[in-house]
Amino acid sequence: LYMQAIDEYLTRTESAVQRLFDGIDDYISILRTSVGETFVTSEPYGPEQDAEYAAWKAKNAKRLLTAREAEQRYLAESFALDTLCGSVLQVAAKAIEIYGQSKPIPQVFEGIVQVKVSKFCVGQNVRTVPLGLIIYAARNQHTHFNDGKLREPSASVFKRLSTEHGYGGQQQFSDPAFDVANPRLVSLASNVTGLIEWRSYESYIADMHVLLQT
């Protein structure tokens, strides 16, 4: 009966979530309408390089303009994209909230994650954070982006997502895509769903089956 209830939830929400992913793909496809151009030169910095760059820029003016316009259209719709991604996270988080079972709390989150939230401590680690906790934190950040300071354990989750990326060696830096203090970002829902590779219904449902059956 337990597994039947899970399957029923996923089935009843399937068409809605598929439509959300269709919308997500529509917004992201805006950026696919242009082919990026990269300037490459062997000239050292100086007048020769400047002249070569000017010639390259003139030659590729049309493509550069198309790319810039696509970027502007994408940025104009970025919050709409976050809204759809936040809705996907809400459906996923609600499923874990209803059907999840208590799990051992990882040592790095002891004293941060309450027992009632431990059911989200499930799934593969992404940047040292269990997938379930990422869903929980991202749903909360999207839902309460106007509440000011993010509460625990969501704050600690995003701290790890922004720093445990493995880039830069010992010179640790904060990934601005997951920095809740980044003034350029309102909702991080799209960035998070991109990180966990939820860009299609198939990827989402595969992970949900694992999260709810573990």
Side-chain angles (χ1 to χ4, degrees), residues 63-141:
R63 287 191 175 185
L64 291 171
L65 179 61
T66 300
R68 190 176 300 111
E69 289 175 344
E71 181 180 356
Q72 290 173 345
R73 291 198 305 273
Y74 176 82
L75 291 174
E77 300 289 3
S78 61
F79 189 72
L81 173 61
D82 281 319
T83 299
L84 295 182
C85 293
S87 297
V88 171
L89 291 166
Q90 173 61 31
V91 174
K94 180 58 68 173
I96 299 173
E97 182 180 310
I98 297 173
Y99 301 107
Q101 301 178 12
S102 295
K103 302 293 180 182
I105 298 173
Q107 185 175 1
V108 294
F109 286 104
E110 288 182 356
I112 299 174
V113 174
Q114 298 179 7
V115 175
K116 65 179 182 180
V117 182
S118 69
K119 61 180 65 178
F120 288 91
C121 296
V122 64
Q124 64 178 339
N125 281 355
V126 178
R127 297 191 177 186
T128 73
V129 183
L131 178 57
L133 268 184
I134 294 176
I135 293 168
Y136 176 84
R139 184 275 306 269
N140 288 349
Q141 192 280 328

Side-chain angles (χ1 to χ4, degrees), residues 114-184:
Q114 298 179 7
V115 175
K116 65 179 182 180
V117 182
S118 69
K119 61 180 65 178
F120 288 91
C121 296
V122 64
Q124 64 178 339
N125 281 355
V126 178
R127 297 191 177 186
T128 73
V129 183
L131 178 57
L133 268 184
I134 294 176
I135 293 168
Y136 176 84
R139 184 275 306 269
N140 288 349
Q141 192 280 328
H142 173 75
T143 304
H144 304 288
F145 65 80
N146 62 329
D147 288 356
K149 188 176 180 180
L150 197 60
R151 297 180 181 179
E152 294 290 5
S154 301
S156 292
V157 168
F158 276 103
K159 177 67 174 178
R160 287 186 164 273
L161 293 183
S162 65
T163 58
E164 298 295 328
H165 41 65
Y167 303 119
Q170 295 182 349
Q171 296 181 339
Q172 190 180 67
F173 65 91
S174 181
D175 184 342
F178 304 99
D179 185 353
V180 294
N182 185 347
R184 295 179 177 270

Side-chain angles (χ1 to χ4, degrees), residues 6 16 18 20 33 42 45 58 84 119 126 171 188 200 207 209:
I6 292 175
Q18 284 183 329
L20 289 172
T33 60
S42 59
Y45 181 77
L84 295 182
K119 61 180 65 178
V126 178
Q171 296 181 339
L188 282 75
S200 69
D207 279 338
H209 280 302

